[in-house]
Amino acid sequence: MSDTAIAAPPRTSLANGALQTSGIIWFLLAVIGQWTFVYYILVAFGGPAVAGNPEAWNDTQPIHGYIAGDLIGNLFFASHVLLAAVITFGGTLQLVPQIRAHFIGFHRWNGRVFMTVAFIMAISGIYMAWGPRETRLTDIGGIGVSLNGVLIMIAATMALRHVFAKRIDQHRRWAMRTFILVNGVWFYRVGFMGWIIVNQGPLGSTSSLDGPFDLTIAFASYLLPLGILELYFRAQDSHNAGRKWLTSGLLLAATAFMAVGIFGAYMFMWSPHL
Ligand code: HEM
């Protein structure tokens, strides 16, 4: 065996370690940000629902939120928002390897709930955007979040098909794609605030959310994280240490931006309602 052949594995395993560590750091930060979002949802929407005071939903300044007399529309809004807490919290638990290893029964049930709620969220969201309430600020913004909904249903179906066929590695990848897509609305908020803080102002954004940045983030909020996930998968499969290091760097840069965005979303979007 040549010297280079002996030297090669440690180089790759170090790079593999870096890739895995940056993935874990990304995930831990995402969990903090997503649980904060869940807490906000429970306080701002769940609390008033339990107290029989749904008018208070409108304190968060949704596009429509609660409309007196519109029972069906209000029920759609309430179920969509409250299930958002269930899916966001449940999604984080699905990705924890220790839970999969030691509590596979929980993983299966939580997975079933996650997939069912993903479909309900996507369908109820698309209905709210294009149904009688027409809850959208711009058509392009509405198309952006609706495409997110369609992709959620496709990815969830793929994840289910692979797990039924016992193709666990394919299932894991499609489940991670579903996770990213389901968190599209969370990435939207975090990306929006990150952008404003980095640029020290709403560059390319207008109050009616029809500026170039607003129309771009309507799609980029989920396509960009999805693209980074694909790069992560490719780096995992690759034997090229350089590629793994590069992807780890990209992931850490994305994590730093995400940290700024989470801070901004907490300070300016969520904490005023807590
Ligand atoms: C599956 C992941 C999703 C989550 C976690 C989620 C979360 C939320 C939350 C928390 C709200 C309350 C408003 C706020 O505080 O910002 C909301 C409202 C809304 N969502 Fe979603 N959503 C998801 C998917 C979708 C999809 C796919 C659509 C498709 C069009 C959609 C359309 C809407 C609409 C129209 C509203 C009402 C906004 C208003 O009345 O102001 N959502 N969603």
Side-chain angles (χ1 to χ4, degrees):
M1 202 183 273
S2 75
D3 283 349
T4 34
I6 294 167
R11 236 170 71 82
T12 324
S13 58
L14 203 64
N16 271 331
L19 190 63
Q20 197 186 10
T21 307
S22 52
I24 292 171
I25 294 172
W26 178 88
F27 179 65
L28 289 177
L29 187 75
V31 169
I32 294 172
Q34 289 172 9
W35 286 9
T36 310
F37 186 44
V38 169
Y39 183 62
Y40 155 78
I41 293 172
L42 292 178
V43 173
F45 298 103
V50 172
N53 179 26
E55 298 87 357
W57 297 338
N58 294 353
D59 295 348
T60 65
Q61 295 178 325
I63 304 175
H64 289 315
Y66 176 79
I67 300 178
D70 179 11
L71 180 67
I72 301 290
N74 293 335
L75 283 177
F76 261 94
F77 182 82
S79 51
H80 182 86
V81 168
L82 297 177
L83 286 175
V86 173
I87 200 169
T88 306
F89 183 68
T92 56
L93 301 183
Q94 285 305 88
L95 263 67
V96 178
Q98 287 80 359
I99 293 184
R100 290 202 299 271
H102 301 294
F103 306 99
I104 188 66
F106 172 81
H107 179 77
R108 289 206 181 103
W109 272 106
N110 194 35
R112 284 174 197 142
V113 171
F114 180 88
M115 295 298 177
T116 311
V117 173
F119 271 87
I120 299 175
M121 295 294 298
I123 293 168
S124 61
I126 292 171
Y127 175 80
M128 286 196 292
W130 303 98
R133 275 199 181 186
E134 303 206 356
T135 311
R136 57 181 194 275
L137 284 176
T138 63
D139 282 353
I140 295 187
I143 291 171
V145 70
S146 301
L147 177 65
N148 189 358
V150 171
L151 293 178
I152 286 173
M153 291 189 278
I154 294 175
T157 306
M158 295 300 287
L160 283 173
R161 281 185 52 182
H162 286 301
V163 79
F164 290 151
K166 305 233 180 300
R167 290 187 292 265
I168 299 305
D169 195 51
Q170 291 285 64
H171 162 70
R172 189 181 66 88
R173 292 197 169 189
W174 278 104
M176 285 168 78
R177 290 180 184 117
T178 315
F179 173 79
I180 294 289
L181 287 163
V182 158
N183 282 297
V185 299
W186 179 80
F187 283 121
Y188 181 97
R189 288 153 177 78
V190 167
F192 195 91
M193 293 313 303
W195 175 262
I196 290 181
I197 291 177
V198 167
N199 291 295
Q200 300 283 296
L203 182 68
S205 176
T206 66
S207 54
S208 40
L209 294 183
D210 59 359
F213 170 72
D214 302 314
L215 301 181
T216 307
I217 197 177
F219 297 86
S221 54
Y222 52 94
L223 293 179
L224 205 62
L226 208 55
I228 294 178
L229 179 66
E230 293 307 318
L231 290 176
Y232 182 74
F233 288 154
R234 279 165 194 233
Q236 274 186 329
D237 294 341
S238 167
H239 296 294
N240 183 328
R243 180 176 201 144
K244 291 176 194 287
W245 282 110
L246 212 63
T247 309
S248 310
L250 176 70
L251 207 52
L252 288 179
T255 308
F257 179 72
M258 201 166 80
V260 175
I262 291 171
F263 170 76
Y266 175 75
M267 291 303 291
F268 304 110
M269 287 179 166
W270 302 330
S271 70
H273 307 288
L274 296 178

